Amino acid sequence: MKKIPLLLMGCGGVGRQLLHHIIACRLLHSKLGVRLRVVGVCDSKSMVAAPDAFTTELDDELLLQVCKVKSSGSSLQNLNNFGECKVFSSQDLARKVTDIATHLGKSTGMALVDCSASSETIGVLSQAVDLGCCVVLANKKPLTSSLEYYDKLVSQPRRIRHESTVGAGLPVIASINRILSSGDPIYRIVGSLSGTLGFVMSEVESGKPFSQVVNAAKSLGYTEPDPRDDLSGMDVARKALILARLLGHHINLDSVKIESLYPVEMGPDVMPVEEFLVNGLPLLDKDIKNRIDKASSSGNVLRYVCLIENSRYEVGIQELPRDSALGRLRGSDNVLEIYSRCYKTQPLVIQGAGAGNDTTAAG
Amino acid sequence: MKKIPLLLMGCGGVGRQLLHHIIACRLLHSKLGVRLRVVGVCDSKSMVAAPDAFTTELDDELLLQVCKVKSSGSSLQNLNNFGECKVFSSQDLARKVTDIATHLGKSTGMALVDCSASSETIGVLSQAVDLGCCVVLANKKPLTSSLEYYDKLVSQPRRIRHESTVGAGLPVIASINRILSSGDPIYRIVGSLSGTLGFVMSEVESGKPFSQVVNAAKSLGYTEPDPRDDLSGMDVARKALILARLLGHHINLDSVKIESLYPVEMGPDVMPVEEFLVNGLPLLDKDIKNRIDKASSSGNVLRYVCLIENSRYEVGIQELPRDSALGRLRGSDNVLEIYSRCYKTQPLVIQGAGAGNDTTAAG
């Protein structure tokens, strides 16, 4: 039985779901000859860690307690009923993670798993790579920071996995990696990589006003608390950057042309979210409707897509044939079309749920 | 640089393409820290092998010569201009392969790659697994033989890969394995896994007679020399069995319900292929047309699908909604819908070219 120590950063929905997954899969993992030994769990301010990372672990009961505490909105910091397991507070956090990585990296190939949405984990992650750890990311920020950090993180290709950074659990990154390492060059990727914007763009098609659809998406829990986080396109742009870098393009986020679905004068710095929803959004209805009507008159539909081709890196609204894989997309599914030498006339298409804590944790 | 010895069985279109791939990817492989060292190449009757499998290899020039000889229709056996590399004839073949596997298996993890379409490689493959080799299969036969052989071949899950047995280079096997090992149970797979039958079923939809479409498919090179090899459904049934076994179903080929698109009285034992094409096929036109019309009157289309669900294992014609992923399929693309806990209401869909030497070798 191969024991793999795991240190989890981030106890949001995805991180907690991952802990539930690990516990539920103990039997499956043992059949595969593996045991995941959780030696520490961090939130943004603190960490609960096993007393001796070499030999002890956080048991399943304790992991469930961590999940319960975090889902109630508390911080790990406020707790001290973890038996022998110690809680470290923010000032010691990075040092303690690095300590564990130093001890376990080279000897065990410890996995450092980043399920946070923070850009503050980059330092610790790139140190961990040097220390021999594997890094597993659901967090897009470390891969969309500077090229220097990116190159460091991927310097040991066998020691990094980040399937869930694009398309949640959909086999996007793995498939692209397999195509590339079979020597088949990918020259074009086009996709709908935001469940939220996919839902919005397919709903407005039936004639509903943009503002009404965005409000409905918010009520259904499809958007961030401030829907502008989705409508800005920044999340899709990060995914585009991750895919472009995976294809070997040495670019930064500022090389990605991003279309925001609201103007700067309705930005978070200018008006609060309530005002945006009530007074801002409806002002955008007419323009979107005009664009839909224009597309429709040529038999096309509008989709918010990510496009990578040669030195074009764009995320924004595109007019697409109604009967293309992207045009047929309904609801919140993601879809990705990959064009390569082997998939030239007809692309390789991967489609399915591209969001949700369950699928993201599975990825 | 990790050197991995590779012994190739089968020099048909896929095997030769694989050799071309290996040569073309030398630089890419070296970037990945790997060198594939081809120590032997077999056809059905003979093998050309490096003089000392431990230290020497067939160089790229020689591999290209092997490809040239084989694509001209000759046997490796008839050649003796391979310098120091020896040619072994059929009576020594299995013993020599086992010899090499014995020497290199445990010490190097040699890859034994089966690109043949033979059922005679099973013995050597299962021995090779015991000897510590990795086995890589494009050949479906070894995985669709008895359960005893299957269990042996997959007894070391990390030492077997068979991506190209289903959907050519499409990431089908890898994706299913990833879903399963994330603890997400798959309860239904439905797909169109024959480019030939996919082409036929989408073409007849527009009103063309079945016989005309099959003849056209043959002219386009989409079918086997005897199109009954495709129309029998046996090839799809083998793919269904491979997928079912991957999901953990302990079944044999006789558990798969197979619909043949021609009756037994038109079988290869009864009439030669020419007679089938000229006199047999047209007799089937009316029945297929009636079935299409009936489906069409309910807004449905016919597709030749593979279905795995609970204890149902079926390959045959099914009536499907025109706007489902399968119903929308045109031409020779493959498509696979995977339903699991994570992909419940909307399946994970993988679609693209599912045939061709290039994609199969890439897989």
Side-chain angles (χ1 to χ4, degrees):
Chain A
M1 182 74 65
K2 188 171 181 189
K3 290 190 180 177
I4 302 175
L6 185 155
L7 198 159
L8 172 66
M9 301 190 290
C11 298
V14 173
R16 295 199 301 272
Q17 187 64 51
L18 179 64
L19 294 178
H20 284 298
H21 258 66
I22 290 171
I23 295 168
C25 293
R26 291 291 185 203
L27 185 63
L28 175 71
H29 289 166
S30 81
K31 281 183 190 160
L32 298 170
V34 166
R35 179 169 170 94
L36 294 179
R37 201 161 63 78
V38 182
V39 298
V41 177
C42 313
D43 61 14
S44 60
K45 297 189 195 70
S46 41
M47 169 166 69
V48 52
D52 173 3
F54 266 113
T55 55
T56 58
E57 64 181 276
L58 308 183
D59 65 28
D60 291 354
E61 200 184 334
L62 177 44
L63 293 178
L64 290 174
Q65 206 182 334
V66 165
C67 291
K68 200 172 154 192
V69 163
K70 289 304 300 182
S71 62
S72 75
S74 299
S75 162
L76 294 173
Q77 207 172 10
N78 303 325
L79 295 156
N80 45 20
N81 56 345
F82 283 139
E84 288 190 13
C85 298
K86 283 183 77 176
V87 179
F88 297 85
S89 66
S90 65
Q91 63 197 63
D92 302 325
L93 192 56
R95 190 185 51 76
K96 183 63 191 169
V97 172
T98 310
D99 271 4
I100 296 177
T102 308
H103 284 111
L104 297 185
K106 286 233 165 53
S107 58
T108 67
M110 180 178 87
L112 192 57
V113 182
D114 185 355
C115 290
S116 77
S118 164
S119 53
E120 288 173 24
T121 58
I122 304 180
V124 137
L125 287 166
S126 58
Q127 269 189 300
V129 168
D130 276 339
L131 294 166
C133 293
C134 297
V135 298
V136 180
L137 311 172
N139 182 6
K140 288 181 278 292
K141 303 255 172 79
L143 294 172
T144 53
S145 167
S146 74
L147 265 170
E148 195 187 335
Y149 272 124
Y150 180 81
D151 289 338
K152 161 68 77 181
L153 287 176
V154 303
S155 59
Q156 303 287 336
R158 298 173 63 92
R159 293 217 203 109
I160 182 163
R161 291 293 183 274
H162 57 95
E163 187 57 84
S164 296
T165 53
V166 181
L170 290 177
V172 169
I173 305 296
S175 299
I176 291 174
N177 272 328
R178 289 173 69 92
I179 293 170
L180 294 175
S181 56
S182 79
D184 184 19
I186 293 172
Y187 61 87
R188 179 181 155 93
I189 288 181
V190 53
S192 174
L193 296 176
S194 160
T196 314
L197 296 180
F199 174 84
V200 168
M201 297 313 291
S202 67
E203 284 290 299
V204 289
E205 212 172 297
S206 62
K208 290 174 199 156
F210 181 64
S211 57
Q212 184 189 323
V213 171
V214 172
N215 274 294
K218 184 170 155 64
S219 313
L220 288 164
Y222 288 179
T223 71
E224 296 294 319
D226 185 341
R228 285 173 294 191
D229 289 347
D230 301 293
L231 299 175
S232 71
M234 186 51 78
D235 184 65
V236 181
R238 286 191 192 278
K239 292 174 182 168
L241 179 59
I242 289 171
L243 295 181
R245 286 178 167 182
L246 198 61
L247 301 190
H249 300 268
H250 290 270
I251 59 161
N252 285 309
L253 201 50
D254 57 16
S255 301
V256 182
K257 198 175 143 194
I258 309 170
E259 179 182 357
S260 169
L261 296 189
Y262 62 86
V264 278
E265 57 269 26
M266 293 186 193
D269 299 338
V270 184
M271 55 173 72
V273 59
E274 274 313 314
E275 192 185 338
F276 173 71
L277 289 170
V278 176
N279 301 323
L281 262 178
L283 299 176
L284 306 173
D285 289 346
K286 198 176 161 196
D287 178 51
I288 295 277
K289 183 167 186 321
N290 288 344
R291 291 175 74 174
I292 293 169
D293 291 345
K294 185 171 161 293
S296 182
S297 68
S298 337
N300 292 336
V301 294
L302 300 182
R303 291 289 177 267
Y304 195 93
V305 304
C306 152
L307 171 70
I308 298 160
E309 186 170 27
N310 303 319
S311 57
R312 272 179 78 191
Y313 316 99
E314 298 178 10
V315 303
I317 292 181
Q318 297 241 350
E319 228 182 280
L320 293 159
R322 195 181 294 276
D323 68 346
S324 62
L326 274 157
R328 285 191 304 257
L329 198 67
R330 293 287 174 280
S332 60
D333 265 13
N334 278 196
V335 64
L336 198 76
E337 299 182 358
I338 300 170
Y339 294 82
S340 69
R341 193 192 62 226
C342 281
Y343 302 100
K344 196 160 192 163
T345 45
Q346 295 271 85
L348 166 59
V349 182
I350 298 167
Q351 182 172 343
N357 292 338
D358 199 18
T359 48
T360 308
Chain B
M1 182 73 64
K2 188 172 179 184
K3 291 190 180 177
I4 303 174
L6 186 155
L7 198 159
L8 172 65
M9 301 191 291
C11 297
V14 173
R16 294 198 301 272
Q17 186 64 52
L18 179 63
L19 293 178
H20 285 298
H21 258 67
I22 289 171
I23 294 167
C25 292
R26 292 289 185 205
L27 185 64
L28 175 70
H29 291 166
S30 81
K31 280 184 191 159
L32 298 169
V34 167
R35 178 169 172 94
L36 294 179
R37 202 161 62 79
V38 182
V39 296
V41 177
C42 314
D43 60 14
S44 60
K45 296 189 195 73
S46 39
M47 169 165 71
V48 52
D52 172 4
F54 266 113
T55 56
T56 59
E57 63 180 278
L58 308 184
D59 65 28
D60 290 353
E61 199 183 332
L62 177 44
L63 294 178
L64 290 173
Q65 207 181 332
V66 166
C67 290
K68 203 172 155 192
V69 163
K70 290 303 300 180
S71 63
S72 74
S74 300
S75 163
L76 294 174
Q77 208 170 10
N78 303 324
L79 294 156
N80 45 20
N81 56 345
F82 282 141
E84 289 189 14
C85 297
K86 284 184 75 175
V87 179
F88 297 85
S89 66
S90 67
Q91 63 197 65
D92 302 327
L93 191 56
R95 190 186 51 76
K96 183 63 191 170
V97 173
T98 310
D99 271 4
I100 297 177
T102 308
H103 284 111
L104 297 184
K106 286 233 164 55
S107 59
T108 67
M110 180 179 87
L112 192 57
V113 182
D114 185 356
C115 289
S116 76
S118 163
S119 52
E120 287 172 22
T121 58
I122 303 179
V124 138
L125 287 165
S126 58
Q127 269 189 301
V129 168
D130 276 340
L131 294 167
C133 292
C134 297
V135 298
V136 180
L137 311 171
N139 182 6
K140 288 180 279 291
K141 301 256 173 77
L143 294 172
T144 53
S145 167
S146 73
L147 265 170
E148 195 186 335
Y149 271 124
Y150 180 81
D151 289 340
K152 160 68 75 180
L153 287 175
V154 303
S155 59
Q156 302 286 338
R158 296 173 66 91
R159 293 218 203 107
I160 181 163
R161 292 292 183 275
H162 57 96
E163 187 56 84
S164 295
T165 53
V166 180
L170 292 177
V172 170
I173 306 294
S175 299
I176 291 175
N177 271 329
R178 288 173 70 93
I179 293 171
L180 293 175
S181 57
S182 80
D184 184 18
I186 294 173
Y187 60 87
R188 179 182 154 95
I189 287 181
V190 55
S192 174
L193 296 177
S194 160
T196 315
L197 297 179
F199 174 82
V200 169
M201 298 312 293
S202 67
E203 284 291 297
V204 290
E205 212 172 295
S206 60
K208 291 175 198 151
F210 181 63
S211 56
Q212 184 189 321
V213 171
V214 173
N215 274 294
K218 186 172 154 60
S219 313
L220 288 164
Y222 287 0
T223 70
E224 297 295 319
D226 185 341
R228 284 173 294 191
D229 289 349
D230 301 293
L231 300 175
S232 71
M234 185 52 77
D235 184 65
V236 182
R238 287 191 192 276
K239 292 173 180 167
L241 179 59
I242 289 171
L243 295 180
R245 286 178 166 179
L246 198 62
L247 300 190
H249 299 266
H250 291 270
I251 60 161
N252 285 308
L253 202 52
D254 58 14
S255 302
V256 182
K257 197 174 142 195
I258 308 170
E259 180 181 357
S260 169
L261 295 190
Y262 62 86
V264 279
E265 57 269 26
M266 292 185 195
D269 300 337
V270 184
M271 55 173 73
V273 59
E274 275 311 315
E275 191 186 339
F276 173 72
L277 291 171
V278 177
N279 300 322
L281 261 180
L283 300 177
L284 306 174
D285 288 348
K286 198 176 160 196
D287 179 50
I288 296 277
K289 183 168 188 322
N290 287 345
R291 290 174 74 173
I292 294 169
D293 291 346
K294 186 173 160 291
S296 183
S297 68
S298 336
N300 293 335
V301 294
L302 300 183
R303 290 290 178 266
Y304 195 93
V305 304
C306 152
L307 172 70
I308 298 159
E309 185 169 27
N310 304 319
S311 55
R312 272 179 78 191
Y313 315 101
E314 297 178 11
V315 302
I317 293 182
Q318 296 240 351
E319 228 183 280
L320 293 159
R322 195 181 295 277
D323 67 345
S324 61
L326 274 157
R328 284 191 305 256
L329 198 66
R330 293 288 174 280
S332 61
D333 265 14
N334 279 195
V335 63
L336 198 77
E337 300 182 358
I338 300 169
Y339 295 81
S340 68
R341 193 192 62 226
C342 279
Y343 303 100
K344 197 160 194 163
T345 45
Q346 295 272 83
L348 167 59
V349 182
I350 298 168
Q351 181 171 343
N357 291 339
D358 198 20
T359 48
T360 308

